[in-house]
């Protein structure tokens, strides 16, 4: 059994992190289309299968996020890659536009940082933004991440 296989679902007060295979493919496809307009249903299904394969081989830990009240698909978050030997991981957070607000981002990022450092025993986390985002930057600053370029953020507990 994979070490990462047991890590689901993960709960926050308002959100559930669970395998992407639990989400409707159309919802994941719609999310992917926001950043990759060439995404298709076939490439989305292939990507979900690849993600699950990497999870079961302890190379990444990615979840689909749903709103616990409405059960709507919120986005995809997690750690990719994870290097358990060196205790490092890179965070990803890809939320639907309606959920890219400070309260949601704070709740999700706080849970990811706590999970990464406490449960996975990661000693360094990195988050790379595709473009500057003042909302995420402020949240990361409040979580003690540091940055030099406003795109790459590093955290050490």
């Amino acid at each position: 059994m994979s070490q990462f296989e047991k890590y689901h679902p993960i709960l926050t007060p308002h959100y559930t992190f669970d395998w992407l295979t639990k989400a409707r493919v159309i919802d994941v496809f719609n999310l992917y289309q926001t950043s990759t307009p060439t995404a298709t249903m076939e490439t989305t299904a292939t990507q979900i299968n690849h993600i699950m394969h990497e999870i079961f081989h302890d190379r990444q830990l990615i979840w689909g996020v749903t709103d616990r009240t409405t059960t709507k698909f919120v986005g995809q978050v997690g750690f990719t890659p994870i290097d358990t030997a060196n205790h490092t991981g890179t965070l990803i957070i890809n939320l639907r536009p309606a959920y890219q607000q400070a309260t949601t981002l704070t709740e999700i990022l706080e849970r990811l940082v706590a999970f990464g450092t406490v449960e996975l025993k990661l000693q360094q986390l990195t988050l790379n933004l595709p473009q500057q985002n003042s909302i995420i930057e402020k949240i990361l600053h409040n979580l003690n991440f540091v940055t030099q370029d406003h795109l790459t953020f590093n955290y050490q507990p």
Side-chain angles (χ1 to χ4, degrees):
M1 179 173 151
S2 154
Q3 169 188 336
F4 294 162
E5 206 172 320
K6 63 184 175 186
Y7 293 131
H8 77 104
I10 306 298
L11 305 176
T12 74
H14 300 100
Y15 303 99
T16 299
F17 301 0
D18 211 338
W19 298 144
L20 278 171
T21 52
K22 300 253 180 151
R24 296 180 332 148
V25 175
I26 188 70
D27 292 334
V28 180
F29 166 73
N30 288 334
L31 175 70
Y32 288 0
Q33 280 252 295
T34 62
S35 59
T36 310
T38 58
T40 65
M41 289 293 279
E42 184 179 340
T43 60
T44 300
T46 299
Q47 181 64 21
I48 291 169
N49 286 333
H50 175 73
I51 287 169
M52 295 309 297
H53 179 267
E54 294 295 293
I55 290 168
F56 294 133
H57 287 89
D58 296 336
R59 292 188 283 257
Q60 66 182 13
L61 192 50
I62 305 293
W63 300 281
V65 180
T66 55
D67 184 304
R68 290 179 65 188
T69 302
T70 65
T71 68
K72 287 185 180 179
F73 183 73
V74 172
Q76 175 179 309
V77 301
F79 304 88
T80 184
I82 297 175
D83 183 342
T84 54
N86 290 311
H87 306 285
T88 63
T90 299
L91 292 170
I92 63 151
I93 184 163
N94 184 9
L95 303 181
R96 292 181 37 225
Y99 292 92
Q100 293 179 17
Q101 53 193 324
T103 54
T104 300
L105 289 163
T106 299
E107 184 172 326
I108 289 172
L109 284 165
E110 284 175 346
R111 185 67 177 110
L112 286 171
V113 170
F115 185 87
T117 56
V118 175
E119 186 67 35
L120 298 177
K121 310 281 190 251
L122 300 177
Q123 297 170 0
Q124 182 176 340
L125 299 174
T126 301
L127 189 144
N128 299 302
L129 296 177
Q131 61 191 25
Q132 287 187 359
N133 182 315
S134 60
I135 296 171
I136 292 177
E137 185 169 353
K138 182 177 180 184
I139 294 164
L140 292 173
H141 176 74
N142 290 340
L143 292 172
N144 298 316
F145 279 76
V146 295
T147 184
Q148 299 297 318
D149 63 5
H150 305 281
L151 294 174
T152 301
F153 295 82
N154 294 296
Y155 175 85
Q156 291 180 311

